[in-house]
Amino acid sequence: MRWFSSLLRVGFVGLLAAAVAAEPGSSKEAQALQESAGTRLCREGKVSRDEGSGMYTMQVRGFSFPFVSDPCKAAEIAVEGDKSTPEALAELLLSRSVTKVRLIADKRDGEEAHKAAEEILQYLNLGRAGDTSMEVVDDETKIAPPAAGETIVYLSGPKAGARGDLVTVEGNRIDVRGSSAEGLLRAADRLVLELAAVFCGSKTCSDPIACAAGKKCGCAMRRGR
């Protein structure tokens, strides 16, 4: 994972070190941003695959974004729920008001669930000020509801009974599910794509590519809210 970690620091440290856009736009603007962010990244970036590691890299205006799956296929996965906009997801994962994020991989899906959790963890470690942990369970019913100030990210695949490739958000819990090993990895990358979109979430800047490339695009950013 050293290659993955070093590539992250080159491509994302300038982004995730700052956190949430300060002034969200209207709900209509936020919805349009959510729907188009991954598509814009794929359209303007160049995706390549390293045959040795199997990792994907998206090159966008001088920055390198690592992924465990094809990010353009990940962009097709739906994100549903009461807090599914990029801004709301960033609040759940990056805000100072969230003191701990618990990544929980379902043990029944073994290496695939662990790899998907590590993908998200690498990004959170660069962007979070609070505590982040990674756990395993062998039964979803054993997961306690998130405590005050906590966010849970539960990752499950076909062996745990996941149906469909989907990211759902309910309260302070995010479920990342894949009906196949490949689908689970894509769903994890879908969540990462949503985090990338938040950095241009203000109504003065609707283009996530510009912020991803370090351009001055009117986004007011700061760590937490």
Side-chain angles (χ1 to χ4, degrees):
M1 296 299 291
R2 290 182 178 178
W3 178 86
F4 181 81
S5 180
S6 62
L7 187 55
L8 267 173
R9 292 185 180 278
V10 171
F12 241 48
V13 67
L15 300 176
L16 291 180
V20 183
E23 184 184 3
S26 68
S27 58
K28 185 176 181 180
E29 289 171 334
Q31 182 180 6
L33 176 61
Q34 178 190 10
E35 292 172 348
S36 65
T39 302
R40 291 182 185 180
L41 287 170
C42 292
R43 185 176 66 246
E44 298 203 21
K46 180 180 179 181
V47 177
S48 60
R49 184 176 186 271
D50 182 83
E51 295 299 330
S53 66
M55 297 292 295
Y56 289 80
T57 301
M58 179 185 289
Q59 301 285 344
V60 180
R61 300 185 183 179
F63 280 75
S64 297
F65 297 81
F67 295 90
V68 294
S69 67
D70 186 333
C72 294
K73 290 184 178 179
E76 299 172 0
I77 292 177
V79 181
E80 300 178 352
D82 58 351
K83 297 180 180 179
S84 58
T85 65
E87 295 89 348
L89 284 169
E91 284 287 346
L92 287 174
L93 295 170
L94 302 177
S95 174
R96 283 188 180 275
S97 64
V98 176
T99 57
K100 185 173 185 178
V101 174
R102 297 168 56 202
L103 288 167
I104 304 176
D106 199 299
K107 186 178 181 180
R108 291 169 291 182
D109 284 293
E111 183 180 350
E112 285 75 19
H114 184 77
K115 187 175 181 180
E118 279 194 331
E119 159 80 329
I120 299 169
L121 181 64
Q122 293 283 340
Y123 283 82
L124 292 181
N125 281 343
L126 292 176
R128 273 191 53 73
D131 185 23
T132 304
S133 67
M134 191 157 70
E135 311 164 24
V136 294
V137 296
D138 56 10
D139 186 344
E140 182 181 355
T141 62
K142 296 179 181 179
I143 301 175
E150 279 190 353
T151 295
I152 287 176
V153 181
Y154 170 60
L155 301 100
S156 63
K159 294 178 182 178
R163 296 181 178 179
D165 305 336
L166 187 66
V167 177
T168 58
V169 189
E170 184 175 349
N172 278 38
R173 172 168 164 161
I174 301 170
D175 283 62
V176 179
R177 302 182 185 273
S179 58
S180 65
E182 295 79 9
L184 178 55
L185 294 178
R186 284 197 295 269
D189 277 333
R190 184 67 177 99
L191 183 57
V192 169
L193 281 170
E194 288 300 308
L195 289 178
V198 74
F199 298 102
C200 280
S202 71
K203 64 182 180 181
T204 57
C205 177
S206 60
D207 184 3
I209 296 292
C211 276
K215 304 293 184 180
K216 291 183 178 180
C217 57
C219 297
M221 299 193 225
R222 61 176 181 270
R223 184 182 292 278
R225 287 197 178 197

